Amino acid sequence: MVVYLIGAGPGDADLITLKAVKALNKADVVLYDYLANEEILAHAPETAERIYVGKKAGEHYKTQDQINELIIKQAQQHENVVRLKGGDPFVFGRGGEEILALMEHDIKFEVIPGVTSAIGAPTSLGLPVTHRAIATSVTIVTGHEDPTKAESQVHWDYTADTLIILMGIGNIKENTAQIMKYRDKDTPVCVIESGTLPDENVIFGTLENISEKDIKTPAILIIGEVVKLYKDIYNY
């Protein structure tokens, strides 16, 4: 038995990797997330069981512990189990927690990378998160940290030229207020809603006013001069 932890990519079903498709082709069961495009499930055999274990802000269908238990249970019953996760399993995808659970039960696993929305969404728009002249570094940070931690690891004093925030819309006002302690309030910001999907939408603003915009999830925030560069390139 083997469990494949697969990154489904940023949204567009065509952005899944060939290696992921090959693993799906032989799946006996697929456990998939809210952010994994359901079109990707067509790569699994018709006989494969499909189990939704999605987690959405404020609407958790299953806890992470329940998901871990379900993966283990399915692995003990089937030869090829696919755990399909939005983006990349190891970029705020909690894949690390899942492989630790598998290791505790001596279950073989393989991790297949996916295109993280942090890079895939802006790249699909033509927004370069790095640029030799203005941005030589990128930091990707969660905007929704584990609330059970005794102390926050996110201090918002990052010095990277480009700052990309995932899962940060619910806390956007608080997060941008913290960032403005270290960056100018007029720093350009853009939000990409539903990146790479047909209903994709881009919203521009600054650190000072982006929280006042009407933003729908799922969405990512990109902060830095690359946003101004993008607007200049495409005459926004």
Side-chain angles (χ1 to χ4, degrees):
M1 56 185 172
V2 60
V3 174
Y4 297 93
L5 275 72
I6 295 177
D12 184 344
D14 288 342
L15 293 177
I16 193 166
T17 66
L18 180 58
K19 188 169 185 177
V21 169
K22 289 178 178 178
L24 279 161
N25 285 166
K26 58 185 179 182
D28 298 310
V29 59
V30 182
L31 299 92
Y32 65 101
D33 273 354
Y34 159 66
L35 289 176
N37 192 324
E38 290 194 27
E39 292 180 23
I40 293 171
L41 298 177
H43 294 296
E46 290 185 7
T47 55
E49 184 179 3
R50 291 151 170 82
I51 303 174
Y52 175 67
V53 293
K55 292 188 298 180
K56 185 177 180 181
E59 300 178 18
H60 284 201
Y61 182 70
K62 290 185 183 296
T63 67
Q64 187 60 52
D65 285 342
Q66 289 174 326
I67 292 171
N68 292 350
E69 291 172 7
L70 186 56
I71 295 170
I72 292 163
K73 178 181 177 181
Q74 294 299 320
Q76 292 169 339
Q77 296 175 352
H78 300 284
E79 286 299 312
N80 296 295
V81 175
V82 165
R83 173 70 174 104
L84 188 64
K85 306 172 73 66
D88 181 273
F90 286 173
V91 182
F92 304 124
R94 305 189 73 169
E97 295 170 60
E98 294 177 359
I99 65 170
L100 286 173
L102 293 170
M103 290 172 68
E104 288 176 4
H105 289 79
D106 295 319
I107 295 172
K108 182 181 178 182
F109 64 87
E110 180 178 347
V111 182
I112 300 178
V115 179
T116 173
S117 61
I119 306 301
T123 296
S124 71
L125 288 175
L127 192 164
V129 297
T130 64
H131 185 279
R132 189 172 183 180
I134 61 172
T136 58
S137 56
V138 180
T139 290
I140 302 172
V141 61
T142 178
H144 183 76
E145 199 172 7
D146 181 354
T148 64
K149 284 183 178 178
E151 183 178 348
S152 172
Q153 291 177 264
V154 179
H155 301 296
W156 299 113
D157 55 348
Y158 303 105
T159 58
D161 298 312
T162 305
L163 184 61
I164 299 174
I165 304 176
L166 303 185
M167 304 178 296
I169 302 307
N171 298 325
I172 187 171
K173 189 175 184 65
E174 296 83 356
N175 291 344
T176 51
Q178 289 297 317
I179 297 168
M180 280 188 284
K181 294 179 181 179
Y182 307 100
R183 299 189 185 220
D184 190 277
K185 62 183 178 62
D186 294 322
T187 301
V189 178
C190 82
V191 172
I192 304 175
E193 299 175 340
S194 299
T196 76
L197 293 171
D199 59 342
E200 179 179 72
N201 185 41
V202 183
I203 300 169
F204 296 106
T206 64
L207 277 175
E208 184 177 42
N209 65 27
I210 195 67
S211 65
E212 300 168 7
K213 310 288 184 177
D214 181 19
I215 300 170
K216 299 177 179 62
T217 58
I220 70 169
L221 281 78
I222 301 172
I223 300 167
E225 291 304 311
V226 292
V227 175
K228 181 180 182 301
L229 174 67
Y230 173 72
K231 292 177 72 175
D232 290 344
I233 291 172
Y234 296 97
N235 296 316
Y236 278 99

